[in-house]
């Protein structure tokens, strides 16, 4: 019988194709590593792969569980002959597996790397598995030498399984992989570690120099969690994690598979931020003190783009020459060799150099600019404050009927409120607690309220701006308010332009810190961590969400090191300065996950009402609200795609409730990732298909479309800093003062000396340009890096339908932008609204929705 059985076992070869990249081929130093790998090959130290059967058992583990039968090791062929490491292109290797019926259908494979260097394993494709055809394994992972691992690396075929439906013989591998990814919560993590874990934001400052509060873990400073690095505490404060030197910024720990995986972005962002920081952090203060370079006229500002401007004399120029590579200098501070900085012309001044100054454009950008998520309906007049009266006194608005009643197209104020015609951009309550501290520095700001009126043509008209300061006698005495109304000529016109500038300063800081950093970058990172810790790569929700997490941990880690740290770029260029991150923590206290869904957000801000007859379930109060109109189309497309996808795997609410990994994921996300919010009653329960679909839709919306809407228009609108200044250095001139006399004589000069100074403008515009660019290998919404990302046909067809919907939306956006009756689509500056146009080419385009928060 034994001989007969053996004869029936058919032995044959199954050929495979392995696609990989050699170690980080970003510099010539790695040629040596490649050569060393080749030497190991000559001595039999190779890369081997073993198939794991999903249907036939091999042996029992120590806990008595069955595992899939292991095939014989197969060696990667022609390592030395296949390509060189001087390019970053993918290389394809052949591998030949011994296959028999005892293996059957492979559900996974093990890989051993006996070379001394790591490589990036993209995929394995088995060409013809008897009875099963082609089998594809999507890997996308760095494989380090075997000595760094306690278990061999395992990769699974591209079929999604719920935990309960996983083939029994693969379950031990699935569960062990998650245990490895969670780590043990201790020790400093090294580059080969694959651990995803949580930490507070306790690495932003140095207790002995630029100390900053720990964000997260307290009711005073709640915050989302970041990825843990395990670096040791500082000697002077055990609660603060030590920081890496700036020159080692690129070495900050993130799991290897979260690192930038493409040459252009890694080199551009990494080298760029490192270089700019080298001269900024050490030289900014000295330079500011030793030079008095200002923009004297708007023509001087335009020279940044048209003819270049001489870089300020002083330490800066010398540091630039010494520390910034020539290639990066061309992007950061394009130069003609004479120290003249040149920048691309921002779209806001491309067609008309002065249209940005109009009231129409000032108001339109609240609906179609880079921060279209703050404006809301005014439901009571005058506006009131929610600040604690016991702490801050009377903070209610001083705007009176007499300020606005003649500008309401014949309506009285009560009629305007009832007919939903009054709107407000309100930065008063969020900023007032910080104004006194901020104004004790060289920065001088107000907390602002801006009232607007919806006109019959669908555009908004500014009615009044209120500038508020804390009472000099103490917070409990309330606010000192000044109200300004529109004027076009004389000193009143100049004062109105300054009032709008103070509003723009508020809005720029809130945009960068809250709309952009906190509400996209920061709140998404816990989802990235929880997904990798609790959802196996085999899990359908992992497969759904993973593209929307690409590069997020990497860009956030760089941000902690260079941008948002104490004394970093953000503090140097945005008005809150050293209080920037503390302010974002205060705003996070009001963060509510379900409110991040676009329809919910619009209704909460009063910009829409619920309407069951609408395809989106809501009706906009401002029909020509470009961000909302395009956004709702994108939202519905994402929602439909998520519903189609999830309904394939989840046929009932019971399946959701009994999905152990899903339940662990949602529990950990709430209790650990957003642990300071774990007791909030608003968290959805993960007990229905509907709740699962809404949750995933919101996550994808935030990571893709919301981030695109608030990021990739930055250069278009804020690349010209007079349009969106990031800080102010003087308060409003008062009558009978020298400053007021100066305003009458030279209003442009006063305006420019009030807003961001020349050096900080150069730095700020450089940073904005970096953040607004798409890299060449960007993957956009509706696209996947690998077409074989799943072998399940229905999800693939649903994804194809999703892509077609997005292309249809692109056509509708083009049509809307050409409709002259929609005055908010283009505006006086002649900049069409394209920030939610899904696709884009590389570069500075002002359009395109990448899948993830990747820059």
């Amino acid at each position: 019988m034994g001989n007969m059985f053996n004869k029936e076992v058919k032995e044959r070869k199954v050929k495979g194709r392995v696609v990989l990249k050699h170690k980080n081929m970003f510099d010539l130093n790695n040629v040596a590593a490649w050569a060393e790998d080749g030497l190991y090959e000559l001595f039999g130290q190779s890369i081997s792969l073993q198939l794991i059967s999903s249907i036939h058992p091999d042996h029992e583990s120590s806990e008595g569980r069955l595992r899939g039968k292991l095939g014989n090791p197969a060696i990667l062929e022609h390592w030395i002959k296949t390509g060189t490491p001087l390019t970053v292109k993918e290389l394809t290797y052949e591998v030949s597996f011994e296959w028999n019926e005892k293996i059957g259908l492979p559900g996974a494979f093990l890989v051993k790397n006996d070379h001394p260097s790591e490589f990036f394993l993209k995929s394995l494709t088995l060409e013809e598995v008897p009875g099963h055809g082609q089998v594809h394994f999507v890997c996308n992972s760095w494989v380090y030498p075997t000595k760094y691992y306690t278990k061999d690396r395992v990769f699974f075929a591209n079929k999604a399984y719920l935990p309960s439906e996983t083939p029994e013989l693969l379950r031990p591998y699935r569960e062990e992989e998650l245990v490895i990814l969670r780590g043990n919560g201790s020790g400093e993590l090294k580059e080969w570690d694959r651990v995803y874990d949580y930490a507070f934001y306790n690495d932003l400052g140095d207790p002995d120099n630029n100390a900053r509060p720990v964000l997260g873990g307290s009711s005073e400073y709640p915050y989302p969690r970041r990825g843990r690095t395990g670096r040791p505490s500082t000697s002077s404060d055990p609660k603060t994690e030590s920081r890496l030197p700036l020159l080692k910024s690129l070495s900050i720990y993130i799991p290897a598979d979260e690192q930038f995986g493409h040459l252009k972005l890694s080199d551009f962002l990494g080298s760029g931020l490192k270089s700019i920081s080298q001269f900024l952090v050490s030289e900014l203060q000295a330079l500011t003190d030793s030079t008095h370079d200002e923009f004297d006229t708007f023509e001087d500002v335009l020279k940044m783009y048209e003819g270049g401007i001489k870089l300020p004399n002083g330490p800066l120029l010398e540091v630039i020459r010494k520390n910034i590579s020539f290639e990066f200098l061309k992007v950061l501070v394009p130069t003609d060799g004479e120290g003249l900085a040149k920048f691309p012309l921002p779209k806001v001044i491309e067609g008309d150099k002065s249209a940005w100054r109009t009231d129409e454009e000032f108001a339109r950008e609240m609906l179609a600019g880079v921060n279209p998520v703050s404006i809301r309906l005014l439901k009571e007049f005058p506006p009131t404050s929610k600040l604690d009266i016991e702490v801050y006194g009377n903070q209610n608005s001083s705007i009176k009927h007499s300020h606005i009643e003649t500008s309401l197209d014949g309506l009285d104020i009560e009629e305007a409120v009832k007919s939903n015609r009054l709107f407000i951009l309100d930065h008063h309550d969020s900023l007032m607690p910080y104004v006194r501290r901020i104004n004790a520095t060289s920065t001088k700001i107000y907390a602002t309220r801006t009232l607007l009126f919806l006109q019959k043509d669908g555009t908004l008209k500014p009615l009044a701006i209120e500038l508020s300061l804390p009472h000099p006698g103490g917070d409990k005495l309330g606010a000192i308010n000044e109200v300004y109304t529109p004027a076009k000529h004389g000193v009143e016109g100049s004062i109105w332009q300054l009032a709008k500038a103070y509003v723009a300063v508020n809005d720029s800081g809130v945009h960068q810190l809250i709309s952009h950093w906190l509400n996209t970058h920061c709140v998404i990172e816990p989802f990235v961590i929880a997904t990798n810790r609790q959802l196996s790569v085999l899990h359908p929700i992992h497969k759904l969400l993973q593209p929307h997490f690409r590069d997020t941990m990497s860009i956030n880690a760089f941000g902690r090191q260079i941008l948002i740290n104490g004394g970093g770029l953000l503090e140097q260029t945005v008005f809150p300065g050293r209080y920037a991150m503390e302010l974002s923590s205060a705003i996070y206290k009001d963060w509510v996950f379900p409110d991040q869904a676009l329809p919910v957000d619009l209704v909460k801000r009063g910009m829409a009402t619920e309407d069951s007859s609408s395809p989106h379930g809501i009706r906009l109060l401002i029909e020509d609200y470009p961000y909302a109109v395009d956004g709702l189309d994108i939202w519905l497309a994402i929602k439909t795609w998520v519903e189609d996808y999830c309904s394939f795997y989840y046929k009932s609410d019971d399946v959701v409730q009994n999905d152990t990994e899903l339940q662990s994921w949602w529990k950990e996300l709430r209790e650990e990732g957003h642990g300071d919010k774990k007791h909030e009653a608003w968290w959805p329960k993960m007990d229905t298909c509907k709740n699962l679909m809404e949750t995933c839709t919101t996550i994808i919306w935030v990571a893709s479309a919301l981030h695109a809407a608030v990021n990739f228009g930055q250069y278009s609108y804020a690349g010209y800093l007079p349009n969106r200044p990031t800080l102010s250095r003087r308060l409003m001139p008062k009558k009978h003062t020298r400053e007021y006399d100066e305003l009458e004589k030279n209003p442009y000069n006063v305006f420019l000396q009030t807003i961001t100074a020349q050096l900080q403008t150069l730095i700020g515009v450089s940073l904005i340009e970096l953040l607004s660019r798409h890299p060449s290998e960007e993957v956009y919404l509706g696209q996947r890096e690998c077409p074989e990302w799943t072998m399940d046909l229905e999800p693939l067809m649903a994804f194809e339908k999703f892509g077609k919907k997005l292309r249809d939306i692109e056509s509708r956006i083009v049509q809307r932008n050409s409709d002259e009756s929609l005055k908010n689509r283009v505006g006086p500056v002649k900049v069409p609204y394209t920030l939610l146009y899904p696709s884009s080419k590389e570069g500075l385009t002002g359009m395109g929705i990448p899948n993830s928060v990747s820059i």
Side-chain angles (χ1 to χ4, degrees):
M1 285 289 291
N3 289 336
M4 286 176 60
F5 179 77
N6 288 335
K7 286 179 183 177
E8 290 174 10
V9 176
K10 298 176 182 177
E11 299 277 355
R12 60 170 296 174
K13 296 284 188 183
V14 170
K15 292 206 171 290
R17 284 181 293 110
V18 172
V19 179
L20 58 78
K21 292 181 184 179
H22 289 290
K23 176 184 176 182
N24 288 338
M25 293 154 264
F26 300 138
D27 61 61
L28 295 180
N29 293 333
N30 290 316
V31 176
W34 175 78
E36 192 179 9
D37 288 343
L39 192 62
Y40 272 60
E41 281 280 322
L42 292 174
F43 287 94
Q45 300 290 94
S46 54
I47 294 169
S48 62
L49 295 81
Q50 283 180 281
L51 299 178
I52 303 173
S53 174
S54 64
I55 54 179
H56 295 301
D58 191 2
H59 60 274
E60 292 190 6
S61 67
S62 57
E63 72 268 25
R65 299 181 68 185
L66 292 174
R67 294 174 180 262
K69 179 175 175 57
L70 283 176
N72 292 328
I75 306 301
L76 215 58
E77 299 168 9
H78 310 302
W79 178 267
I80 300 174
K81 296 178 184 177
T82 308
T84 70
L86 298 181
T87 64
V88 293
K89 69 179 182 181
E90 296 161 357
L91 300 175
T92 302
Y93 294 85
E94 293 182 354
V95 61
S96 186
F97 294 95
E98 295 176 6
W99 181 92
N100 60 45
E101 290 169 354
K102 288 185 178 180
I103 293 293
L105 176 63
F109 71 92
L110 297 177
V111 60
K112 280 187 180 180
N113 176 11
D114 288 326
H115 286 180
S117 302
E118 68 270 25
F119 60 88
F120 186 77
L121 180 59
K122 185 162 186 182
S123 64
L124 165 65
T125 304
L126 302 180
E127 295 299 348
E128 188 60 44
V129 177
H132 302 285
Q134 190 179 84
V135 178
H136 199 80
F137 301 79
V138 178
C139 306
N140 289 328
S141 183
W142 285 100
V143 178
Y144 278 77
T146 303
K147 65 180 180 180
Y148 292 120
Y149 298 129
T150 56
K151 291 182 180 292
D152 293 336
R153 291 296 307 277
V154 62
F155 295 95
F156 299 94
N158 63 339
K159 168 121 180 105
Y161 292 105
L162 296 173
S164 61
E165 296 172 353
T166 309
E168 183 185 359
L169 304 181
L170 298 181
R171 284 183 192 175
Y173 294 103
R174 176 175 184 151
E175 293 166 10
E176 286 169 1
E177 179 76 351
L178 285 174
V179 170
I180 290 168
L181 292 172
R182 291 180 201 128
N184 60 16
S186 64
E188 184 170 359
L189 296 167
K190 304 298 183 184
E191 63 173 289
W192 51 83
D193 287 318
R194 303 169 56 227
V195 171
Y196 294 79
D197 204 354
Y198 303 98
F200 302 137
Y201 277 74
N202 64 346
D203 63 341
L204 298 179
D206 177 348
D208 302 317
N209 181 28
N210 280 326
R212 296 294 181 270
V214 173
L215 303 184
S218 69
S219 57
E220 185 179 9
Y221 299 118
Y223 222 57
R225 304 300 186 256
R226 58 155 175 107
R228 186 177 79 84
T229 68
R231 291 197 305 270
S233 300
T234 59
S235 56
S236 51
D237 181 4
K239 292 183 178 179
T240 300
E241 185 173 283
S242 58
R243 291 182 53 77
L244 288 176
L246 279 173
L247 289 174
K248 292 187 177 180
S249 292
L250 300 183
S251 303
I252 190 168
Y253 173 79
I254 48 173
D257 295 347
E258 301 298 331
Q259 294 172 0
F260 293 122
H262 33 81
L263 172 61
K264 185 176 175 93
L265 187 57
S266 183
D267 185 54
F268 179 63
L269 184 66
S271 300
L273 295 184
K274 183 172 70 174
S275 299
I276 193 171
S277 296
Q278 281 177 292
F279 77 75
L280 172 70
V281 176
S282 60
E283 296 297 326
L284 181 62
Q285 192 60 49
L287 182 65
T288 305
D289 291 342
S290 60
T291 65
H292 303 282
D293 296 67
E294 293 277 2
F295 292 119
D296 295 321
T297 66
F298 283 104
E299 286 71 28
D300 282 351
V301 181
L302 290 173
K303 286 178 184 175
M304 288 175 60
Y305 318 101
E306 295 176 339
I309 63 167
K310 193 82 173 175
L311 289 173
N313 292 322
L316 173 65
L317 204 54
E318 190 59 31
V319 176
I320 285 179
R321 288 180 178 136
K322 286 181 179 176
N323 291 305
I324 300 186
S325 67
F326 176 72
E327 283 302 310
F328 181 66
L329 188 60
K330 289 196 298 187
V331 178
L332 179 67
V333 188
T335 177
D336 62 3
E338 297 297 323
L340 297 180
K342 294 180 182 177
F343 293 90
L345 195 64
K347 291 182 179 181
V348 75
I349 54 169
E350 218 170 54
D352 187 321
K353 298 294 188 293
S354 60
W356 65 273
R357 291 171 60 86
T358 63
D359 288 358
E360 294 88 341
E361 181 60 22
F362 172 71
R364 185 191 77 91
E365 289 183 24
M366 298 178 199
L367 302 174
V370 75
N371 190 36
V373 295
S374 292
I375 188 172
R376 60 182 177 83
L377 181 71
L378 185 67
K379 297 180 179 179
E380 59 180 347
F381 183 89
T384 56
S385 171
K386 293 181 180 176
L387 290 175
D388 185 349
I389 195 168
E390 296 294 323
V391 178
Y392 296 104
N394 179 12
Q395 294 287 336
N396 291 335
S397 174
S398 298
I399 301 175
K400 298 181 173 62
H401 285 65
S402 58
H403 288 124
I404 67 172
E405 59 190 357
T406 60
S407 304
L408 302 178
D409 289 0
L411 299 177
D412 63 34
I413 290 178
E414 287 69 26
E415 289 172 330
V417 170
K418 283 181 182 177
S419 58
N420 297 328
R421 302 279 293 277
L422 289 181
F423 294 82
I424 186 170
L425 183 68
D426 191 348
H427 294 311
H428 181 281
D429 282 5
S430 59
L431 299 183
M432 181 54 82
Y434 290 88
V435 172
R436 192 186 303 278
R437 282 181 281 170
I438 291 169
N439 286 0
T441 70
S442 59
T443 299
K444 309 297 177 200
I445 68 157
Y446 295 94
T448 67
R449 293 183 176 105
T450 305
L451 261 58
L452 306 110
F453 178 69
L454 178 61
Q455 302 182 104
K456 290 178 181 176
D457 66 357
T459 63
L460 290 172
K461 175 174 69 173
L463 297 173
I465 291 173
E466 182 176 62
L467 305 181
S468 302
L469 292 172
H471 196 286
D475 288 349
K476 291 184 178 182
L477 297 178
I480 303 294
N481 302 326
E482 294 285 345
V483 179
Y484 300 89
T485 54
K488 291 189 176 178
H489 306 292
V491 69
E492 291 81 10
S494 301
I495 285 174
W496 176 245
Q497 290 296 333
L498 279 175
K500 290 193 294 182
Y502 292 119
V503 173
V505 168
N506 275 191
D507 200 58
S508 291
V510 169
H511 160 257
Q512 201 65 273
L513 279 170
I514 310 305
S515 306
H516 183 203
W517 163 254
L518 176 66
N519 288 343
T520 63
H521 284 259
C522 189
V523 300
I524 280 293
E525 184 159 355
F527 289 90
V528 182
I529 299 169
T531 298
N532 283 281
R533 284 170 57 86
Q534 298 297 342
L535 297 180
S536 163
V537 293
L538 287 167
H539 199 288
I541 300 303
H542 187 289
K543 289 184 180 292
L544 173 67
L545 296 179
Q546 189 275 334
H548 304 288
F549 298 152
R550 179 190 181 189
D551 292 342
T552 300
M553 289 187 73
S554 195
I555 188 65
N556 286 2
F558 283 137
R560 297 199 313 275
Q561 188 67 13
I562 293 166
L563 291 175
I564 63 173
N565 58 300
L569 283 171
L570 200 67
E571 288 193 0
Q572 300 288 0
T573 56
V574 179
F575 77 81
R578 64 175 290 114
Y579 305 108
M581 294 302 288
E582 184 181 329
L583 172 61
S584 71
S585 168
I587 302 297
Y588 177 66
K589 291 177 181 178
D590 295 324
W591 182 82
V592 175
F593 174 71
D595 290 358
Q596 309 312 303
L598 178 61
V600 178
D601 169 63
L602 291 169
V603 170
K604 185 176 182 181
R605 288 191 284 121
M607 302 303 290
T609 57
E610 294 181 1
D611 181 357
S612 58
S613 65
S614 162
H616 313 108
I618 62 171
R619 179 180 60 83
L620 292 173
L621 297 187
I622 301 177
E623 292 182 12
D624 183 16
Y625 183 179
Y627 161 74
V629 172
D630 296 357
L632 286 169
D633 279 356
I634 298 291
W635 170 270
L636 184 60
I638 295 171
K639 181 173 181 281
T640 304
W641 150 237
V642 169
E643 289 172 350
D644 289 347
Y645 180 87
C646 290
S647 61
F648 178 76
Y649 299 100
Y650 294 91
K651 303 299 185 185
S652 70
D653 295 343
D654 285 346
V655 181
V656 173
Q657 294 163 17
N658 294 321
D659 183 338
T660 53
E661 286 185 9
L662 187 73
Q663 296 303 324
S664 296
W665 170 71
W666 193 238
K667 183 177 190 295
E668 182 174 284
L669 187 280
R670 289 177 290 119
E671 296 182 0
E672 299 289 340
H674 283 278
D676 298 329
K677 296 276 187 179
K678 63 184 175 185
H679 297 303
E680 299 285 0
W682 46 251
W683 282 109
K685 288 184 168 58
M686 195 54 66
D687 57 358
T688 64
C689 294
K690 180 174 181 287
N691 283 354
L692 170 62
M693 293 168 183
E694 288 178 352
T695 294
C696 291
T697 302
T698 300
I699 293 168
I700 294 172
W701 162 260
V702 170
S704 59
L706 179 59
H707 178 258
V710 298
N711 183 71
F712 292 102
Q714 289 193 80
Y715 195 79
S716 298
Y717 289 102
Y720 183 64
L721 233 63
N723 184 50
R724 287 188 67 78
T726 58
L727 52 82
S728 44
R729 297 173 286 156
R730 296 179 173 186
L731 295 175
M732 183 72 83
K734 301 293 184 186
K735 283 186 178 181
H736 313 303
T737 64
R738 182 176 57 81
E739 291 81 5
Y740 193 88
D741 294 341
E742 188 182 357
L743 183 65
E744 287 184 299
K745 294 172 188 172
N746 194 345
Y748 292 161
N749 184 271
V750 171
F751 183 94
L752 292 171
Q753 289 186 7
T754 298
I755 64 168
T756 318
Q758 180 174 300
L759 170 66
Q760 285 151 318
T761 295
L762 284 169
I763 295 167
V765 171
S766 299
L767 178 61
I768 287 167
E769 187 188 356
L770 276 169
L771 297 178
S772 301
R773 285 184 177 273
H774 291 296
S776 57
E777 296 179 16
E778 191 71 89
V779 183
Y780 297 94
L781 196 63
Q783 301 175 357
R784 290 262 177 161
E785 281 186 273
C786 178
E788 298 93 356
W789 61 275
T790 181
M791 67 169 64
D792 294 322
L793 187 58
E794 284 186 41
L796 284 174
M797 291 171 62
F799 190 67
E800 193 174 326
K801 184 177 83 169
F802 177 45
K804 183 180 183 305
K805 278 192 175 183
L806 293 174
R807 290 189 292 274
D808 291 343
I809 290 170
E810 290 182 342
S811 300
R812 292 205 293 275
I813 289 173
V814 171
Q815 289 172 354
R816 288 170 189 147
N817 286 341
S818 61
D819 185 344
E820 294 183 1
S821 70
L822 301 176
K823 297 184 182 299
N824 296 325
R825 299 291 312 188
V826 176
V829 293
K830 303 291 189 286
V831 179
Y833 187 75
T834 55
L835 294 179
L836 288 172
Y837 187 93
S839 65
S840 174
K841 59 180 186 293
E842 70 175 278
L844 211 55
T845 65
M847 61 173 62
I849 303 176
N851 268 329
S852 61
V853 179
S854 58
I855 192 164

